[in-house]
PDB file of all heavy atoms in Angstrom:
ATOM      1  N   VAL A 183      10.036  99.235 -34.209  1.00 93.00           N
ATOM      2  CA  VAL A 183      11.102  99.167 -35.211  1.00 93.00           C
ATOM      3  C   VAL A 183      10.761 100.102 -36.379  1.00 93.00           C
ATOM      4  O   VAL A 183      11.611 100.876 -36.855  1.00 93.00           O
ATOM      5  CB  VAL A 183      11.276  97.722 -35.724  1.00 93.00           C
ATOM      6  CG1 VAL A 183      12.295  97.678 -36.861  1.00 93.00           C
ATOM      7  CG2 VAL A 183      11.780  96.804 -34.580  1.00 93.00           C
ATOM      8  N   LYS A 184       9.517 100.025 -36.841  1.00 93.00           N
ATOM      9  CA  LYS A 184       9.096 100.873 -38.022  1.00 93.00           C
ATOM     10  C   LYS A 184       9.227 102.339 -37.592  1.00 93.00           C
ATOM     11  O   LYS A 184       9.646 103.158 -38.437  1.00 93.00           O
ATOM     12  CB  LYS A 184       7.598 100.566 -38.343  1.00 93.00           C
ATOM     13  CG  LYS A 184       7.428  99.227 -39.025  1.00 93.00           C
ATOM     14  CD  LYS A 184       5.929  98.961 -39.267  1.00 93.00           C
ATOM     15  CE  LYS A 184       5.682  97.578 -39.855  1.00 93.00           C
ATOM     16  NZ  LYS A 184       4.256  97.337 -40.054  1.00 93.00           N
ATOM     17  N   ARG A 185       8.844 102.639 -36.403  1.00 92.00           N
ATOM     18  CA  ARG A 185       8.917 104.042 -35.957  1.00 92.00           C
ATOM     19  C   ARG A 185      10.349 104.506 -35.868  1.00 92.00           C
ATOM     20  O   ARG A 185      10.668 105.699 -36.249  1.00 92.00           O
ATOM     21  CB  ARG A 185       8.248 104.165 -34.585  1.00 92.00           C
ATOM     22  CG  ARG A 185       8.073 105.585 -34.127  1.00 92.00           C
ATOM     23  CD  ARG A 185       7.258 105.682 -32.862  1.00 92.00           C
ATOM     24  NE  ARG A 185       7.231 107.051 -32.377  1.00 92.00           N
ATOM     25  CZ  ARG A 185       7.232 107.325 -31.105  1.00 92.00           C
ATOM     26  NH1 ARG A 185       7.309 106.423 -30.157  1.00 92.00           N
ATOM     27  NH2 ARG A 185       7.203 108.641 -30.723  1.00 92.00           N
ATOM     28  N   ILE A 186      11.280 103.673 -35.456  1.00 92.00           N
ATOM     29  CA  ILE A 186      12.679 104.073 -35.364  1.00 92.00           C
ATOM     30  C   ILE A 186      13.216 104.361 -36.722  1.00 92.00           C
ATOM     31  O   ILE A 186      13.905 105.361 -36.950  1.00 92.00           O
ATOM     32  CB  ILE A 186      13.503 102.911 -34.734  1.00 92.00           C
ATOM     33  CG1 ILE A 186      13.188 102.864 -33.181  1.00 92.00           C
ATOM     34  CG2 ILE A 186      15.009 103.088 -34.893  1.00 92.00           C
ATOM     35  CD1 ILE A 186      13.744 101.658 -32.484  1.00 92.00           C
ATOM     36  N   PHE A 187      12.905 103.536 -37.696  1.00 92.00           N
ATOM     37  CA  PHE A 187      13.421 103.752 -39.092  1.00 92.00           C
ATOM     38  C   PHE A 187      12.743 105.044 -39.676  1.00 92.00           C
ATOM     39  O   PHE A 187      13.385 105.794 -40.398  1.00 92.00           O
ATOM     40  CB  PHE A 187      13.099 102.532 -39.974  1.00 92.00           C
ATOM     41  CG  PHE A 187      14.135 101.488 -39.933  1.00 92.00           C
ATOM     42  CD1 PHE A 187      14.183 100.563 -38.957  1.00 92.00           C
ATOM     43  CD2 PHE A 187      15.145 101.467 -40.887  1.00 92.00           C
ATOM     44  CE1 PHE A 187      15.122  99.585 -38.871  1.00 92.00           C
ATOM     45  CE2 PHE A 187      16.146 100.471 -40.855  1.00 92.00           C
ATOM     46  CZ  PHE A 187      16.191  99.526 -39.869  1.00 92.00           C
ATOM     47  N   SER A 188      11.448 105.262 -39.326  1.00 89.00           N
ATOM     48  CA  SER A 188      10.768 106.452 -39.790  1.00 89.00           C
ATOM     49  C   SER A 188      11.399 107.685 -39.195  1.00 89.00           C
ATOM     50  O   SER A 188      11.643 108.672 -39.933  1.00 89.00           O
ATOM     51  CB  SER A 188       9.294 106.385 -39.354  1.00 89.00           C
ATOM     52  OG  SER A 188       8.669 107.562 -39.735  1.00 89.00           O
ATOM     53  N   MET A 189      11.773 107.706 -37.966  1.00 88.00           N
ATOM     54  CA  MET A 189      12.441 108.829 -37.392  1.00 88.00           C
ATOM     55  C   MET A 189      13.850 109.033 -37.970  1.00 88.00           C
ATOM     56  O   MET A 189      14.254 110.202 -38.219  1.00 88.00           O
ATOM     57  CB  MET A 189      12.597 108.673 -35.827  1.00 88.00           C
ATOM     58  CG  MET A 189      11.262 108.860 -35.121  1.00 88.00           C
ATOM     59  SD  MET A 189      11.377 108.961 -33.305  1.00 88.00           S
ATOM     60  CE  MET A 189      11.616 107.228 -32.841  1.00 88.00           C
ATOM     61  N   ALA A 190      14.563 107.967 -38.220  1.00 87.00           N
ATOM     62  CA  ALA A 190      15.869 108.055 -38.909  1.00 87.00           C
ATOM     63  C   ALA A 190      15.716 108.693 -40.266  1.00 87.00           C
ATOM     64  O   ALA A 190      16.586 109.481 -40.657  1.00 87.00           O
ATOM     65  CB  ALA A 190      16.559 106.720 -38.959  1.00 87.00           C
ATOM     66  N   LEU A 191      14.719 108.309 -41.020  1.00 84.00           N
ATOM     67  CA  LEU A 191      14.499 108.888 -42.356  1.00 84.00           C
ATOM     68  C   LEU A 191      14.216 110.355 -42.302  1.00 84.00           C
ATOM     69  O   LEU A 191      14.635 111.083 -43.247  1.00 84.00           O
ATOM     70  CB  LEU A 191      13.306 108.211 -43.029  1.00 84.00           C
ATOM     71  CG  LEU A 191      13.569 106.884 -43.766  1.00 84.00           C
ATOM     72  CD1 LEU A 191      12.223 106.313 -44.273  1.00 84.00           C
ATOM     73  CD2 LEU A 191      14.478 107.085 -44.917  1.00 84.00           C
ATOM     74  N   SER A 192      13.610 110.812 -41.250  1.00 80.00           N
ATOM     75  CA  SER A 192      13.332 112.253 -41.147  1.00 80.00           C
ATOM     76  C   SER A 192      14.533 113.049 -40.629  1.00 80.00           C
ATOM     77  O   SER A 192      14.439 114.290 -40.416  1.00 80.00           O
ATOM     78  CB  SER A 192      12.164 112.449 -40.150  1.00 80.00           C
ATOM     79  OG  SER A 192      12.502 112.093 -38.849  1.00 80.00           O
ATOM     80  N   GLY A 193      15.692 112.380 -40.472  1.00 78.00           N
ATOM     81  CA  GLY A 193      16.887 113.075 -40.066  1.00 78.00           C
ATOM     82  C   GLY A 193      17.148 113.146 -38.605  1.00 78.00           C
ATOM     83  O   GLY A 193      18.059 113.855 -38.111  1.00 78.00           O
ATOM     84  N   ILE A 194      16.438 112.443 -37.781  1.00 83.00           N
ATOM     85  CA  ILE A 194      16.633 112.412 -36.336  1.00 83.00           C
ATOM     86  C   ILE A 194      17.778 111.444 -36.001  1.00 83.00           C
ATOM     87  O   ILE A 194      17.774 110.278 -36.478  1.00 83.00           O
ATOM     88  CB  ILE A 194      15.361 111.959 -35.571  1.00 83.00           C
ATOM     89  CG1 ILE A 194      14.231 112.980 -35.845  1.00 83.00           C
ATOM     90  CG2 ILE A 194      15.537 111.954 -34.046  1.00 83.00           C
ATOM     91  CD1 ILE A 194      12.906 112.643 -35.275  1.00 83.00           C
ATOM     92  N   GLY A 195      18.746 111.866 -35.201  1.00 83.00           N
ATOM     93  CA  GLY A 195      19.884 111.021 -34.846  1.00 83.00           C
ATOM     94  C   GLY A 195      19.540 109.915 -33.862  1.00 83.00           C
ATOM     95  O   GLY A 195      18.488 110.012 -33.152  1.00 83.00           O
ATOM     96  N   ALA A 196      20.430 108.940 -33.744  1.00 86.00           N
ATOM     97  CA  ALA A 196      20.201 107.786 -32.897  1.00 86.00           C
ATOM     98  C   ALA A 196      20.043 108.220 -31.431  1.00 86.00           C
ATOM     99  O   ALA A 196      19.230 107.649 -30.677  1.00 86.00           O
ATOM    100  CB  ALA A 196      21.329 106.804 -33.007  1.00 86.00           C
ATOM    101  N   HIS A 197      20.833 109.248 -30.973  1.00 86.00           N
ATOM    102  CA  HIS A 197      20.752 109.663 -29.593  1.00 86.00           C
ATOM    103  C   HIS A 197      19.373 110.226 -29.253  1.00 86.00           C
ATOM    104  O   HIS A 197      18.797 109.905 -28.247  1.00 86.00           O
ATOM    105  CB  HIS A 197      21.831 110.678 -29.308  1.00 86.00           C
ATOM    106  CG  HIS A 197      21.893 111.177 -27.881  1.00 86.00           C
ATOM    107  ND1 HIS A 197      22.389 110.422 -26.881  1.00 86.00           N
ATOM    108  CD2 HIS A 197      21.426 112.347 -27.318  1.00 86.00           C
ATOM    109  CE1 HIS A 197      22.284 111.048 -25.768  1.00 86.00           C
ATOM    110  NE2 HIS A 197      21.719 112.243 -25.952  1.00 86.00           N
ATOM    111  N   LYS A 198      18.869 111.064 -30.186  1.00 87.00           N
ATOM    112  CA  LYS A 198      17.547 111.657 -29.911  1.00 87.00           C
ATOM    113  C   LYS A 198      16.426 110.599 -30.012  1.00 87.00           C
ATOM    114  O   LYS A 198      15.471 110.616 -29.241  1.00 87.00           O
ATOM    115  CB  LYS A 198      17.246 112.795 -30.852  1.00 87.00           C
ATOM    116  CG  LYS A 198      15.963 113.533 -30.553  1.00 87.00           C
ATOM    117  CD  LYS A 198      15.695 114.741 -31.426  1.00 87.00           C
ATOM    118  CE  LYS A 198      14.334 115.372 -31.018  1.00 87.00           C
ATOM    119  NZ  LYS A 198      14.031 116.528 -31.890  1.00 87.00           N
ATOM    120  N   ILE A 199      16.554 109.661 -30.973  1.00 90.00           N
ATOM    121  CA  ILE A 199      15.593 108.592 -31.040  1.00 90.00           C
ATOM    122  C   ILE A 199      15.499 107.848 -29.738  1.00 90.00           C
ATOM    123  O   ILE A 199      14.432 107.550 -29.207  1.00 90.00           O
ATOM    124  CB  ILE A 199      15.933 107.604 -32.195  1.00 90.00           C
ATOM    125  CG1 ILE A 199      15.778 108.278 -33.536  1.00 90.00           C
ATOM    126  CG2 ILE A 199      15.067 106.341 -32.148  1.00 90.00           C
ATOM    127  CD1 ILE A 199      16.218 107.468 -34.747  1.00 90.00           C
ATOM    128  N   ALA A 200      16.636 107.508 -29.192  1.00 90.00           N
ATOM    129  CA  ALA A 200      16.682 106.811 -27.887  1.00 90.00           C
ATOM    130  C   ALA A 200      16.040 107.653 -26.785  1.00 90.00           C
ATOM    131  O   ALA A 200      15.280 107.098 -25.999  1.00 90.00           O
ATOM    132  CB  ALA A 200      18.179 106.430 -27.492  1.00 90.00           C
ATOM    133  N   ARG A 201      16.322 108.939 -26.779  1.00 89.00           N
ATOM    134  CA  ARG A 201      15.726 109.826 -25.760  1.00 89.00           C
ATOM    135  C   ARG A 201      14.219 109.880 -25.871  1.00 89.00           C
ATOM    136  O   ARG A 201      13.489 109.851 -24.922  1.00 89.00           O
ATOM    137  CB  ARG A 201      16.365 111.156 -25.859  1.00 89.00           C
ATOM    138  CG  ARG A 201      15.968 112.119 -24.710  1.00 89.00           C
ATOM    139  CD  ARG A 201      16.796 113.352 -24.624  1.00 89.00           C
ATOM    140  NE  ARG A 201      16.481 114.312 -25.724  1.00 89.00           N
ATOM    141  CZ  ARG A 201      17.321 114.607 -26.715  1.00 89.00           C
ATOM    142  NH1 ARG A 201      18.496 114.075 -26.743  1.00 89.00           N
ATOM    143  NH2 ARG A 201      16.956 115.505 -27.644  1.00 89.00           N
ATOM    144  N   ILE A 202      13.709 109.957 -27.152  1.00 90.00           N
ATOM    145  CA  ILE A 202      12.280 110.001 -27.329  1.00 90.00           C
ATOM    146  C   ILE A 202      11.591 108.744 -26.870  1.00 90.00           C
ATOM    147  O   ILE A 202      10.585 108.846 -26.146  1.00 90.00           O
ATOM    148  CB  ILE A 202      11.975 110.182 -28.873  1.00 90.00           C
ATOM    149  CG1 ILE A 202      12.407 111.590 -29.326  1.00 90.00           C
ATOM    150  CG2 ILE A 202      10.438 109.934 -29.162  1.00 90.00           C
ATOM    151  CD1 ILE A 202      12.307 111.763 -30.844  1.00 90.00           C
ATOM    152  N   LEU A 203      12.161 107.588 -27.093  1.00 91.00           N
ATOM    153  CA  LEU A 203      11.588 106.346 -26.728  1.00 91.00           C
ATOM    154  C   LEU A 203      11.642 106.180 -25.163  1.00 91.00           C
ATOM    155  O   LEU A 203      10.733 105.683 -24.562  1.00 91.00           O
ATOM    156  CB  LEU A 203      12.369 105.137 -27.327  1.00 91.00           C
ATOM    157  CG  LEU A 203      12.254 105.029 -28.876  1.00 91.00           C
ATOM    158  CD1 LEU A 203      13.221 103.901 -29.353  1.00 91.00           C
ATOM    159  CD2 LEU A 203      10.819 104.814 -29.284  1.00 91.00           C
ATOM    160  N   ASN A 204      12.746 106.647 -24.545  1.00 90.00           N
ATOM    161  CA  ASN A 204      12.801 106.616 -23.079  1.00 90.00           C
ATOM    162  C   ASN A 204      11.810 107.582 -22.434  1.00 90.00           C
ATOM    163  O   ASN A 204      11.199 107.273 -21.421  1.00 90.00           O
ATOM    164  CB  ASN A 204      14.210 107.001 -22.599  1.00 90.00           C
ATOM    165  CG  ASN A 204      15.193 105.838 -22.934  1.00 90.00           C
ATOM    166  OD1 ASN A 204      14.840 104.693 -22.864  1.00 90.00           O
ATOM    167  ND2 ASN A 204      16.473 106.175 -23.157  1.00 90.00           N
ATOM    168  N   ASP A 205      11.661 108.779 -23.050  1.00 89.00           N
ATOM    169  CA  ASP A 205      10.674 109.744 -22.540  1.00 89.00           C
ATOM    170  C   ASP A 205       9.243 109.208 -22.597  1.00 89.00           C
ATOM    171  O   ASP A 205       8.443 109.518 -21.663  1.00 89.00           O
ATOM    172  CB  ASP A 205      10.759 111.075 -23.293  1.00 89.00           C
ATOM    173  CG  ASP A 205      12.050 111.867 -23.020  1.00 89.00           C
ATOM    174  OD1 ASP A 205      12.699 111.510 -21.999  1.00 89.00           O
ATOM    175  OD2 ASP A 205      12.388 112.748 -23.820  1.00 89.00           O
TER     176      ASP A 205
END
Side-chain angles (χ1 to χ4, degrees):
V183 174
K184 291 177 183 177
R185 190 174 173 215
I186 288 171
F187 274 83
S188 176
M189 287 191 282
L191 274 177
S192 66
I194 300 177
H197 182 75
K198 185 176 180 181
I199 292 175
R201 189 167 71 246
I202 291 171
L203 296 174
N204 288 328
D205 289 344

